[in-house]
Amino acid sequence: GQYITQIFSMAVLLSSMFVYNQMGGIDEAALDRLSLVTEMTKHIRVRSDEGNGAKTSAAELGRFSPSFVWLLRDFYLDLADSDVEGGPSRSITPAEYLERALRAVDRGGPGAEAKNAIRDSIKALFPERECFPLVRPVNDEKALRNLDTTPRSALRPEFTEGLGRLIDTLFLRCAPKTIGNDVVTGPALASLAEAYAAALNGGAVPAIASAWQSVAEAECRKAADAALAAYDEAFLEAQRHDDGRADDDDDGADAAAAAARAAARLVFDAGALGAAGSGPRRDAADAMDAELSRRKKAFVEK
């Protein structure tokens, strides 16, 4: 159970879209299987400075959660239901079906509190959610057991049509992984995966904001180092093209330094993480600018 919760936590932490596969419709047993959503709040925190024993609510985690697609495989039910007042049955959308399944149950019934806790956790953790029913691909049992060799033409038209709509939906909804307003790059995602896995394997609780802060700081330092290397290369190249005259010409040195600084800034902006005013990016940029000024001053004095 703990291992499943850890794997689920990693998937939620790292993905921008979470597709949850399930056979059949959404019933109480299906909701019970997602009870690990409530367990997940015990294994993840938003900030590392939260006190010992403090719990992060699902609503807090929801700010960092991926969009959620509940994929119902081999769906056999009619999407129809009566209204709240018990009026005549009418057709409903998959989204309405999902929201009705997540409605609170009568608190007087057996286990109502636990059932409602699961529903509340799902709604809070996945504020952006969608349901997608997909019918059984074939009716023939033998063909169902050998789907890998069944030609596409033998699949039910309702299935192939639904599969096409599913693919369109996933591509439309898929987006880069973000934390706050920051887009997570490939190297940053790898670093986050290492940080989360190390925390979970070590019995600690991953802290999203703190992990992202550490990753952003490391990536911004790498970007600053690359920018300084680009500055040195551009500055020395300018000196070579100036036939040495800039050594005795402050204006020439200033122009070469300004051009090299601009080249360094392009390299830094391409590699640094975070918004322009974010702490890690601002701090790395300030340190880089100070070092560029120091290097230019040292060159002029020499």
Side-chain angles (χ1 to χ4, degrees), residues 138 140-151 154-155:
V138 291
D140 181 69
E141 292 290 340
K142 184 177 180 181
L144 190 64
R145 290 193 297 270
N146 298 280
L147 274 180
D148 56 333
T149 58
T150 301
L155 301 178

Side-chain angles (χ1 to χ4, degrees), residues 218-288:
E219 291 299 314
C220 286
R221 284 195 299 270
K222 290 180 186 176
D225 290 342
L228 291 174
Y231 174 87
D232 289 342
E233 183 179 353
F235 192 64
L236 291 174
E237 184 68 19
Q239 302 311 306
R240 284 195 294 269
H241 281 84
D242 202 39
D243 294 328
R245 289 191 300 272
D247 291 350
D248 301 317
D249 183 353
D250 286 345
D251 291 339
D254 287 342
R261 184 182 286 266
R265 173 57 70 171
L266 288 175
V267 172
F268 178 80
D269 288 341
L273 286 182
S278 64
R281 189 176 188 129
R282 183 185 62 248
D283 294 344
D286 290 345
M288 179 188 71

